[in-house]
Amino acid sequence: MSSIQSIIIDDEELARTLLKTYVDRVSYLNCKGSFEDPMEALDFIRQNKVDLIFLDIQMPELKGTEFAEIISNTAVRIIFTTAYSEYALQGFELNALDYLVKPITFQRFLSAVEKFPLPESKEDTIVIKSGYDLHKVKLKDIIYIESESEYVNYFLENGKNILANQSLAKLEETLPKLFIRVHRSYIVNRDKVTGLKSRNLLLSGHSIPVSDSYFTMVKKDLF
């Protein structure tokens, strides 16, 4: 999958340098430009593909909120950056992905970036965002997915697993019919199921519990 193409707009050099350092640490982010002058950035956007902007609000010639309104009819997403928390509400009213208050930590930066929606993957694959990395995985290679607090863990046919900051409920809505929910903590690949022992599904050497609320539906659907 191609990287998320980003630019930085901030009138402070130190802020631009820090954000560029953060972008370079994330494998699926690409910094295509860093701008002190928002008008130069506007010209750049008109001539180049940009997916995401890290946009300072307090700039002398053109405020970040004003810049956001100018490009509001484009598909470009915005993460606002500023030293002034009182602008947060206005930022979210402009449909920003997030609002970062300076000084910005890398952890907070990464949390904001992970809100960027991934492009739809091909029908036979899924793109999993894990930490700084993206993993392109064939759906047929996923045995099951387990919820772990605020994360989900993908267990793969090759013995590896991938931990991602996702909601199992939201994931269930996007997965194809190849997958079925069998428990509040588990989604399994139908094609990997080999049997049902008591109230546990057997699949590729794993035993996955089926909860009472799903048992009748799962038994009818899979057997």
Side-chain angles (χ1 to χ4, degrees):
M1 159 183 180
S2 59
S3 300
I4 297 170
Q5 306 302 315
S6 67
I7 64 171
I8 299 163
I9 308 174
D10 198 306
D11 61 322
E12 296 179 1
E13 183 178 359
L14 286 177
R16 295 196 303 273
T17 300
L18 177 65
L19 287 171
K20 175 65 165 57
T21 301
Y22 286 172
V23 169
D24 290 343
R25 289 177 63 182
V26 182
S27 64
Y28 54 84
L29 277 182
N30 179 35
C31 183
K32 298 190 71 173
S34 180
F35 301 91
E36 178 181 2
D37 184 350
M39 297 309 297
E40 289 183 10
L42 192 59
D43 289 339
F44 183 87
I45 292 170
R46 287 169 176 162
Q47 300 176 46
N48 298 272
K49 181 181 183 296
V50 175
D51 302 311
L52 178 63
I53 303 175
F54 298 96
L55 179 60
D56 186 28
I57 287 184
Q58 282 295 91
M59 294 184 289
E61 293 186 6
L62 185 68
K63 289 184 178 180
T65 49
E66 295 170 337
F67 187 96
E69 289 174 355
I70 292 172
I71 64 167
S72 61
N73 62 340
T74 72
V76 181
R77 304 304 300 270
I78 293 172
I79 294 176
F80 281 116
T81 64
T82 184
Y84 305 96
S85 59
E86 60 265 28
Y87 289 105
L89 179 59
Q90 187 178 5
F92 285 119
E93 286 175 348
L94 289 166
N95 199 29
L97 274 181
D98 209 336
Y99 184 98
L100 301 178
V101 179
K102 301 173 182 178
I104 302 166
T105 65
F106 179 67
Q107 181 179 4
R108 184 67 183 87
F109 170 87
L110 187 60
S111 174
V113 168
E114 287 186 340
K115 295 179 181 179
F116 187 92
L118 289 174
E120 291 184 6
S121 56
K122 293 182 179 179
E123 190 175 338
D124 63 341
T125 63
I126 186 173
V127 177
I128 304 170
K129 187 187 295 183
S130 177
Y132 314 152
D133 303 319
L134 290 177
H135 302 268
K136 189 174 183 179
V137 177
K138 292 182 179 179
L139 292 170
K140 67 180 182 64
D141 291 338
I142 300 172
I143 302 172
Y144 69 94
I145 307 164
E146 181 181 6
S147 174
E148 297 184 8
S149 187
E150 297 178 356
Y151 296 82
V152 296
N153 210 347
Y154 294 79
F155 291 81
L156 308 182
E157 195 68 67
N158 61 8
K160 296 182 179 180
N161 62 290
I162 302 172
L163 191 66
N165 188 357
Q166 291 178 286
S167 158
L168 196 69
K170 290 184 178 179
L171 180 61
E172 182 184 12
E173 295 174 0
T174 63
L175 287 171
K177 292 182 178 180
L178 176 64
F179 295 89
I180 181 172
R181 185 81 171 262
V182 300
H183 188 282
R184 65 184 180 87
S185 298
Y186 293 95
I187 292 175
V188 305
N189 184 330
R190 296 170 182 270
D191 290 350
K192 304 298 182 184
V193 176
T194 59
L196 178 66
K197 185 175 182 180
S198 184
R199 292 194 175 246
N200 291 278
L201 282 176
L202 306 179
L203 58 165
S204 299
H206 300 269
S207 178
I208 303 298
V210 180
S211 64
D212 291 344
S213 58
Y214 287 94
F215 185 78
T216 301
M217 180 271 294
V218 168
K219 187 174 181 181
K220 180 179 179 181
D221 200 338
L222 297 181
F223 299 94

